[in-house]
Each structure stands twice: as structure tokens, then as C-alpha cells.
């Protein structure tokens, strides 16, 4: 027996040498650059439950490293951090290894990490209010019934009918109250270092929301846009240097390992003694109360409004803060000129751009394809301009949704909604507002022969003013001919005509091979 005991002592693992731990609780300065979800169509608003954009986070931290090898813990990083993207600079002798500490402190992880450990079981008598505390050992994990062992035997937590809870003397090793990235570093001497930590994080997105006001004569618009930032990350970045990047960026989907943690769900089989447990489960299922209001930078001080709603707000000129556009290669960067807070699970708006007196014109349009049957209905109404300084624009327009308002006797009213794609300087900008019941068309096949087919398009206008109409005829492999002069645009034959007020216009053309 003595030999076996000695052998067991020899085979027992030796205690690991204590490693120095240095903790950086928070960054001294942080920058947040938000990239749009490249797969989201311009007209689709970000899904606040599932944001597929991302952000580049850059943090500056002051740390003190002792001589030797140190585990350096960066607390308060983004919960959606991609550890493989992390770049740490400023360490005297570089990084040995890095880890994303995924186990966050929560009721479930606290219990799981206490398995087999001694805790305290506190019970309160419903009749007398007397509190009794005894030692207990956790014998099961957080999934389902929680089994503890006391001097009286084994029992399920909260199945006695008495209010009871577990208390712990200390937080088990490996649990962190906040998302943490740790690196192992070496230094030949003690040093105070300025560390820069940069990484990508999921759970972010941004959107451009345009508001346009059309003049009463329909010749000009005042254009305003909000830059709406959204975050579903659990970490807030206070006083961050914030910017957004427009343009399509090639990026592969990367799976993010979620942080371990969550609520503690208890289950037992009582005999009508623990009716409080279903009530607790019901309370846990209730969504949190929304904030009463959210601060929107770029508005008149004191003005409040909800963001990311179905209807974009009317602008409040002049904006207090407006993003500044900068070039970023083939992309466009919009920098917010002063620090703002990108809060956890929230949205924020700042003014993106503003232009007044942009020259526009109204066009009614229809595109026609080869067909053998009659086709008619309302034409599509568009507000068109050119993205040049001469028209009052001349700046990149990020993709987003637009709401067009009109004004009568000083009172605004909604005319329509549209979707804008990304527009470079010099491109035509078209705001499609949907069908226009006052301008209608009818395309009728007239005659079909071996040489081709004849068609007639009749456009009517019941409005009290003339209407500019465009018919785009897609020829496919045919040739479009007509006695009426036609031009071409984007490979299509184009008929442009002004339909008189309460009048009509007619085009006859032939499609021949």
C-alpha cells in the first residue's frame, strides 16, 4: 500500500507555475468603422435581430507589463469579435498566443463552473421570514433540474416550496463579466506600454435614409440624408471616433463563436408547492422595456425621435453634426467629425449629407418587351436628375431608401417612397415613385408577317399640365423601325414625347429581324 501511495504521488500532476496576469479593463480611446452588409439590398432595412454587417474596432490601451511572461487580458472588447482578425501592436517583444475568452459570467455558466464545488444554500421560511444557510455541493449542470447535495442528501434546487438560492464565495476561474481577449506576451523588463488592439467584429450595420422635399412647381428638391448606425453587440463604445464605409466590399462569411452564457432555467416535479417557478419563467420571457428615447446626433439640441422606423423623419436643418466624406480607394468613408457613443444593442443617427435646390424633372416611363397581346395600364412616375454640380448635387450618394415629400400652403405631405442604389458623381439619378394613374398607356399588336410585327402605343394624359413620357423598347434580336424619330439608350430604342394636357400621343413601330 505504501508503494502504491508513493507511485500515485509521483504520477500526480505538479501544480502549474503561477502566471502573471495583467488586465486592461477598458480602452483609453476607441475607433469604430462600420461596414454595410454587402448582401442586403438597398431597399431592405437592416434586421435589428440579425445584423450581417461588421465593424473594424481599433482600441488604444495603457498597460503595465512586468518582467517575464504575462497573460494580458483585454476586457470590454466587442462580443462579436473575430479573434483571428485581432492585431496587437506595442508589446515590447510581441505576442506568444491569443485567446477569445468565450465564457461570460451568467447564472448558467456560474453553475456549470461550480460543478463539484462547495457553495452555500440559502433558504427563507415563508411563515417566519427566518433565513437559514447551509453548505451544499453542486452535483449537476445548468441544463434542466439542478441537483445539490447537502447533509440531508440529494435534492433539486427550488423544489422544496421555499424561496432558496445559491451563493458563491468567489467567481470560478475562467469566467469573465465582459467579453475578453487575452494574449500571452513576454518582456525582458517591466515596462509601461501603449497597446493598439484592432479587430473585426460582427453584429453591426448602417443605412442611408434620404428625405427629399419637392418644390411646388416640381423643378427642384431639397435633399437630406441620415446616416443610421445599428449595433446588436453587448459592448458599448463610449466617445468613439466613428465612421461608416460605403461601397461593396468582398468578404467571406465567417462563423462567429458565440459567447457561452445565458439564464438559468430550473425544472422540477413538485406537488403543487412551487407555483413561483412558472411565474419566474414567464418574467424571463418578457422582452425588456424599450428605452424611452434615443439620442440622435445631427438634430437640433433637445429634439428626440425614434430611429430605424418605417418612415424616415423630416430633417431638422441646419444639422448640428454632419458626416464628412473622405476617399478610401474605390470606397467612400463618412467620418463623424466628433466622438459619439456607439451603444450596445442600439441605433444612432447623424446627418449624412444635405443639398438644397437640386434641379429635377418629372418623367413618366414604361418599358416594352416583345409580346403578341395588348398591354396597358398606368405609367411609372420618376423624378430624374444628374449627379453633377450643375444640377446642385455632385457628390457620391450611398444606397438607401428615400421618402419624397411635397408642400402645399406650407404643409408637407408624402408623395412616395423609392430606393436609391449607390450613385457615383456624374451618373443619372432616378427616383421611381410608382404608378401614375393620370398618365396611362396602351400597347396593341397591329399586324404580324414573316418580315416582322407592327405595334401601336397610345399614351393619354388626363392631367392639367403636359407630361414628359418615355417608352423604352427592348428589341431582343429584332430591329426597331418607325416613321417617328427614335433614339437609343442602354441598348433599347427610346421614344420621348411630351403628351399635352388632357391629350394623347401615338407611336407606331415595327420589330423586324
Amino acid at each position: 500500500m505504501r508503494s502504491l501511495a508513493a507511485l500515485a504521488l509521483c504520477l500526480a500532476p505538479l501544480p502549474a507555475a503561477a502566471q502573471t496576469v495583467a488586465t486592461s479593463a477598458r480602452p483609453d480611446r476607441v475607433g469604430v468603422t462600420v461596414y454595410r452588409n454587402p448582401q442586403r439590398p438597398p431597399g431592405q432595412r437592416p434586421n435589428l435581430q440579425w445584423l450581417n454587417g461588421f465593424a473594424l474596432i481599433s482600441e488604444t490601451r495603457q498597460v503595465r507589463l512586468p518582467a517575464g511572461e504575462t497573460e494580458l487580458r483585454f476586457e470590454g472588447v466587442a462580443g462579436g469579435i473575430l479573434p483571428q482578425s485581432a492585431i496587437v501592436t506595442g508589446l515590447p517583444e510581441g505576442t506568444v498566443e491569443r485567446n477569445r475568452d468565450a465564457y461570460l459570467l451568467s447564472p448558467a455558466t456560474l453553475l456549470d463552473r461550480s460543478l463539484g464545488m462547495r457553495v452555500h444554500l440559502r433558504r427563507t421560511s415563508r411563515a417566519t421570514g427566518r433565513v437559514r444557510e447551509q453548505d451544499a455541493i453542486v452535483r449537476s449542470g445548468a441544463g434542466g433540474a439542478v441537483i445539490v447535495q447537502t447533509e440531508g442528501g440529494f435534492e433539486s434546487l427550488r423544489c422544496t416550496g421555499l424561496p432558496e438560492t445559491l451563493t458563491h464565495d468567489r467567481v470560478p476561474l475562467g469566467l469573465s463579466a465582459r467579453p475578453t481577449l487575452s494574449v500571452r506576451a513576454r518582456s525582458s523588463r517591466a515596462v509601461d506600454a501603449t497597446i493598439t488592439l484592432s479587430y473585426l467584429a460582427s453584429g453591426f450595420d448602417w443605412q442611408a435614409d434620404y428625405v427629399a422635399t419637392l418644390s411646388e412647381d416640381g423643378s427642384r428638391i431639397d435633399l437630406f440624408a441620415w446616416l443610421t448606425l445599428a449595433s446588436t453587440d453587448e459592448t458599448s463604445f463610449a466617445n468613439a471616433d466613428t465612421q461608416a464605409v460605403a461601397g461593396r466590399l468582398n468578404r467571406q462569411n465567417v462563423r462567429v463563436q458565440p459567447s457561452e452564457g445565458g439564464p438559468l432555467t430550473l425544472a422540477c416535479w413538485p406537488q403543487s408547492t412551487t407555483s413561483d417557478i412558472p411565474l419566474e419563467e414567464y418574467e424571463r420571457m418578457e422582452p425588456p422595456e424599450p428605452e424611452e428615447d434615443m439620442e440622435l446626433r445631427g438634430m437640433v439640441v433637445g429634439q428626440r425621435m425614434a430611429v430605424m422606423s418605417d418612415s424616415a423623419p423630416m430633417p431638422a436643418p441646419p444639422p448640428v453634426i454632419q458626416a464628412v466624406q473622405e476617399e478610401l480607394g474605390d470606397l467612400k468613408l463618412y467620418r463623424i467629425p466628433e466622438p459619439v457613443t456607439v451603444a450596445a444593442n442600439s441605433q444612432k443617427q447623424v446627418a449624412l449629407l444635405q443639398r438644397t435646390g437640386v434641379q429635377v424633372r418629372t418623367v413618366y416611363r414604361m418599358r416594352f418587351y416583345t409580346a403578341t397581346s395588348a398591354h396597358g395600364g398606368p405609367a411609372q412616375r420618376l423624378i430624374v436628375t444628374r449627379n453633377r454640380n450643375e444640377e446642385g448635387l455632385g457628390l457620391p450618394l450611398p444606397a438607401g431608401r428615400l421618402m419624397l415629400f411635397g408642400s402645399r400652403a406650407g404643409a408637407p405631405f408624402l408623395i412616395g417612397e423609392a430606393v436609391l442604389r449607390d450613385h457615383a458623381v456624374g451618373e443619372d439619378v432616378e427616383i421611381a415613385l410608382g404608378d401614375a394613374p393620370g398618365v396611362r398607356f396602351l400597347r396593341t399588336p397591329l399586324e404580324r408577317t414573316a418580315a416582322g410585327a407592327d405595334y401601336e402605343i397610345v399614351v393619354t394624359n388626363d392631367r392639367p399640365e403636359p407630361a414628359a413620357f418615355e417608352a423604352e423598347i427592348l428589341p431582343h434580336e429584332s430591329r426597331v423601325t418607325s416613321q417617328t424619330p427614335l433614339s437609343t439608350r442602354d441598348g433599347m430604342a427610346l421614344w420621348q414625347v411630351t403628351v399635352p394636357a388632357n391629350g394623347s400621343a401615338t407611336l407606331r413601330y415595327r420589330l423586324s429581324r
Side-chain angles (χ1 to χ4, degrees), residues 124-446:
T124 303
S125 170
R126 293 184 185 274
T128 66
R130 179 172 174 267
V131 178
R132 182 168 63 93
E133 188 171 293
Q134 65 184 119
D135 287 344
I137 299 176
V138 179
R139 293 303 187 188
S140 72
V146 175
I147 308 299
V148 295
Q149 181 183 3
T150 65
E151 60 183 0
F154 293 86
E155 55 185 281
S156 295
L157 183 65
R158 296 193 184 178
C159 287
T160 63
L162 297 176
E164 57 190 15
T165 188
L166 295 179
T167 63
H168 303 251
D169 293 330
R170 65 186 63 85
V171 176
L173 294 176
L175 290 184
S176 174
R178 298 188 296 164
T180 302
L181 179 76
S182 63
V183 300
R184 190 155 54 92
R186 295 192 184 102
S187 179
S188 57
R189 59 184 177 85
V191 63
D192 291 322
T194 300
I195 306 299
T196 299
L197 170 63
S198 301
Y199 56 88
L200 296 178
S202 62
F204 295 84
D205 205 347
W206 75 274
Q207 171 81 9
D209 288 301
Y210 293 88
V211 180
T213 303
L214 185 66
S215 63
E216 292 195 16
D217 63 1
S219 65
R220 297 179 182 273
I221 61 171
D222 293 337
L223 186 65
F224 182 89
W226 291 109
L227 189 160
T228 305
L229 301 171
S231 167
T232 55
D233 200 86
E234 62 254 48
T235 302
S236 293
F237 300 96
N239 297 319
D241 297 324
T242 307
Q243 45 265 330
V245 174
R248 182 172 291 274
L249 186 70
N250 183 36
R251 182 170 182 261
Q252 301 297 321
N253 290 328
V254 178
R255 179 178 176 83
V256 179
Q257 180 65 31
S259 301
E260 299 288 343
L264 176 61
T265 303
L266 301 177
C268 61
W269 297 267
Q271 297 179 350
S272 302
T273 58
T274 54
S275 59
D276 58 332
I277 292 180
L279 177 61
E280 292 176 359
E281 293 181 357
Y282 174 78
E283 292 174 346
R284 282 198 299 266
M285 293 173 61
E286 288 188 328
E289 292 293 329
E291 298 182 11
E292 293 183 0
D293 56 10
M294 305 187 68
E295 180 179 3
L296 300 181
R297 310 302 300 272
M299 302 181 62
V300 175
V301 176
Q303 184 176 358
R304 305 283 181 167
M305 56 168 286
V307 299
M308 297 292 285
S309 61
D310 288 337
S311 297
M314 289 292 287
V320 178
I321 303 176
Q322 181 169 321
V324 178
Q325 180 211 316
E326 300 178 8
E327 301 297 324
L328 188 65
D330 293 333
L331 306 175
K332 305 298 179 184
L333 183 140
Y334 295 90
R335 184 183 303 278
I336 300 175
E338 66 179 60
V340 296
T341 295
V342 182
N345 298 300
S346 68
Q347 306 97 51
K348 177 180 292 293
Q349 284 185 316
V350 298
L352 177 64
L353 58 88
Q354 186 174 29
R355 288 291 187 271
T356 59
V358 179
Q359 298 177 18
V360 298
R361 58 189 179 92
T362 300
V363 172
Y364 300 88
R365 181 184 299 165
M366 191 61 200
R367 179 173 295 179
F368 297 94
Y369 301 89
T370 302
T372 57
S373 59
H375 174 49
Q380 185 182 46
R381 182 187 179 190
L382 300 97
I383 302 294
V384 299
T385 185
R386 192 169 179 84
N387 192 6
R388 302 184 306 177
N389 290 325
E390 292 81 352
E391 278 75 17
L393 278 177
L395 76 170
L397 300 176
R401 295 181 59 173
L402 180 143
M403 302 191 73
L404 180 66
F405 291 87
S407 177
R408 287 293 184 273
F413 62 93
L414 180 65
I415 297 177
E417 300 184 45
V419 176
L420 288 184
R421 60 172 179 83
D422 289 312
H423 284 86
V425 175
E427 285 190 311
D428 291 333
V429 179
E430 297 180 348
I431 304 172
L433 299 175
D435 293 341
V439 179
R440 303 183 66 85
F441 70 92
L442 177 64
R443 194 274 310 273
T444 306
L446 298 179

Side-chain angles (χ1 to χ4, degrees), residues 71-96:
E71 179 187 344
L72 178 56
R73 295 173 60 83
F74 298 106
E75 292 185 345
V77 298
I81 182 175
L82 302 178
Q84 63 271 30
S85 70
I87 301 174
V88 182
T89 60
L91 293 172
E93 299 177 21
T95 301
V96 178

